[in-house]
Amino acid sequence: MFTPLSRRQKLLPLLLVISAIAAPRDAAAQSSIARGQRWQQIINSNTTHPWTTKLCVQYTSPSNKTYTGAGFWDTRVFQPAPTPDTDNFKIRAAFNEIGTWTWQLHSAAAGCVSTAGFSPASGTISVSGDATGLPLYATGPVRVNTSPRFLRYSGAGVLSPFHWIGDTTWSGAHRTYLNPGWNNYVTDRKNKSYTVIQISVPLAASGQPFDVVNRKPFGAYDANDVLQPCTGVLPRAACFPNKLFWDYWDNHVNAVNANGMLAAVIGLYKRTDESINWPTIADSEGYARWIAARLAGNYTALAPGFDELPKRNQTFTGADCGNVVPNQENQACRAREVGNAIREAILLNTAPATPQEAPLTALVTHHIGGGCSDGLDGAPP
């Protein structure tokens, strides 16, 4: 079953509706979180939007450093006529400085949606010290060392290498029950001194993948506001993410971090259905930015591709990467464009720096085809 949500099921309780009407639209939100923990804020818009909409946010640390990031479309809120339907977005982050942080939605950068009507539009976060004792939270994030021969915990104050000892479960984050299965699994790997769990975005050889209770990642709203599964090329802008599926997926990612391990997430520009043609570059960018924004409060390494080997003589430029035949998309160009979209979502400092600083967010890498040629670039298979 797809577990559709109808208009009737999605109506807000009367008390919440009254509260929303009474609250000023530009009210600031106040919250608290411990160092390194995933923080989030729900933000309501006064209308509906494409799910690939780029919501931009700026954070300011207690030491007055500024960082930019992106929010993500979360769910549609259906209202009885004539009240217009609205969309909820979320912003997520994790913080490395103790004290009071501030955040502010903005529309200053290219491609950012106008924040008129979004509420709350600003707020403060009181960040306290780490209470877990796990190196990932206490001394993270994991970064490439200055001499790029190894990874290290960048907040340790002394040289503290991060040893990559990983286990792979490509579909485990959506095909395993969170309790007790997934939590038992990650606890077992933690107890065996693993430091990384490697998963993929949801994929299937044919048709949409589905989670352990048969929910699919994308759907389209029908005339009764029920989310029905999509077919054809996915991801694409006309098919919305299924909130229940994706909340389930990223709670599995969060459980990896809660056990002190990094989550390596592979394939942010992949086709959800591997048997179908490639999405447009714009849809791949929107999908990757959306996933990266979902994971902006987690410790991750994010890879645009999954076994795609860029072939020789590909270019990095051109409208839609040159409009290559759909099944032979320009992988080098797609990787570059999607990598830039990922960078828009994770928190980076706005002042020029080499490399750019970030408080607690992702590494970005690329997962090519195991280092093996597929023979299509002129080299032996």
Side-chain angles (χ1 to χ4, degrees):
M1 59 183 292
F2 186 61
T3 318
L5 298 178
S6 69
R7 174 181 289 270
R8 180 181 299 275
Q9 290 170 313
K10 289 186 177 183
L11 292 179
L12 291 176
L14 179 60
L15 180 60
L16 292 182
V17 174
I18 294 173
S19 297
I21 294 173
R25 297 296 294 176
D26 59 350
Q30 298 181 355
S31 55
S32 60
I33 197 73
R35 183 195 196 277
Q37 298 288 334
R38 185 177 75 181
W39 168 86
Q40 70 176 22
Q41 172 69 51
I42 298 173
I43 297 172
N44 182 252
S45 68
N46 61 356
T47 187
T48 58
H49 299 268
W51 70 270
T52 53
T53 294
K54 181 181 172 184
L55 178 65
C56 298
V57 59
Q58 179 173 288
Y59 298 87
T60 303
S61 75
S63 64
N64 210 35
K65 294 179 180 177
T66 56
Y67 304 91
T68 59
F72 62 95
W73 184 95
D74 185 53
T75 192
R76 182 144 294 169
V77 181
F78 293 100
Q79 305 281 9
T83 305
D85 297 335
T86 62
D87 284 344
N88 280 345
F89 287 73
K90 284 183 180 176
I91 54 175
R92 285 178 174 169
F95 307 101
N96 61 337
E97 289 187 31
I98 308 303
T100 300
W101 288 68
T102 62
W103 63 269
Q104 175 75 51
L105 301 182
H106 73 89
S107 308
C112 298
V113 67
S114 169
T115 59
F118 282 78
S119 179
S122 63
T124 60
I125 312 107
S126 176
V127 180
S128 58
D130 170 70
T132 68
L134 296 169
L136 206 57
Y137 291 102
T139 57
V142 175
R143 288 288 176 267
V144 178
N145 192 52
T146 305
S147 56
R149 296 173 60 89
F150 54 87
L151 302 174
R152 68 183 181 93
Y153 293 103
S154 64
V158 295
L159 186 61
S160 181
F162 175 83
H163 299 284
W164 186 294
I165 306 172
D167 192 29
T168 299
T169 171
W170 290 130
S171 60
H174 64 280
R175 291 294 297 153
T176 308
Y177 282 107
L178 186 62
N179 289 307
W182 183 259
N183 283 326
N184 286 349
Y185 164 71
V186 293
T187 300
D188 175 80
R189 295 307 187 264
K190 171 190 175 183
N191 292 340
K192 291 176 178 175
S193 299
Y194 283 85
T195 60
V196 178
I197 300 296
Q198 184 165 271
I199 64 173
S200 74
V201 296
L203 302 172
S206 179
Q208 282 199 69
F210 49 87
D211 66 16
V212 72
V213 292
N214 211 32
R215 295 174 297 214
K216 295 185 176 181
F218 290 99
Y221 293 108
D222 64 16
N224 296 314
D225 302 327
V226 177
L227 201 64
Q228 303 289 354
C230 290
T231 58
V233 178
L234 292 171
R236 68 178 187 270
C239 292
F240 286 77
N242 181 351
K243 174 179 171 58
L244 297 177
F245 180 101
W246 288 100
D247 283 351
Y248 194 72
W249 181 81
D250 63 22
N251 283 337
H252 285 63
V253 176
N254 210 42
V256 173
N257 291 165
N259 279 271
M261 295 178 289
L262 187 79
V265 183
I266 312 302
L268 271 69
Y269 72 43
K270 289 293 287 187
R271 302 163 289 180
T272 299
D273 180 348
E274 293 281 70
S275 69
I276 300 294
N277 288 342
W278 282 92
T280 65
I281 298 299
D283 283 342
S284 284
E285 289 173 329
Y287 181 51
R289 184 189 303 112
W290 184 82
I291 292 176
R294 290 194 75 94
L295 299 177
N298 290 101
Y299 297 87
T300 60
L302 305 178
F306 182 175
D307 287 355
E308 280 72 42
L309 182 67
K311 301 169 183 62
R312 293 194 178 105
N313 303 317
Q314 291 188 347
T315 64
F316 290 104
T317 59
D320 206 23
C321 290
N323 295 308
V324 186
V325 176
N327 276 331
Q328 299 175 351
E329 284 282 10
N330 187 336
Q331 300 300 328
C333 181
R334 186 181 293 270
R336 177 168 180 159
E337 294 302 304
V338 164
N340 287 334
I342 293 171
R343 290 180 74 254
E344 292 174 347
I346 60 180
L347 273 60
L348 290 172
N349 66 319
T350 54
T354 306
Q356 285 189 298
E357 295 178 355
L360 292 175
T361 187
L363 295 164
V364 183
T365 182
H366 190 58
H367 190 285
I368 61 173
C372 299
S373 169
D374 58 7
L376 298 179
D377 62 355

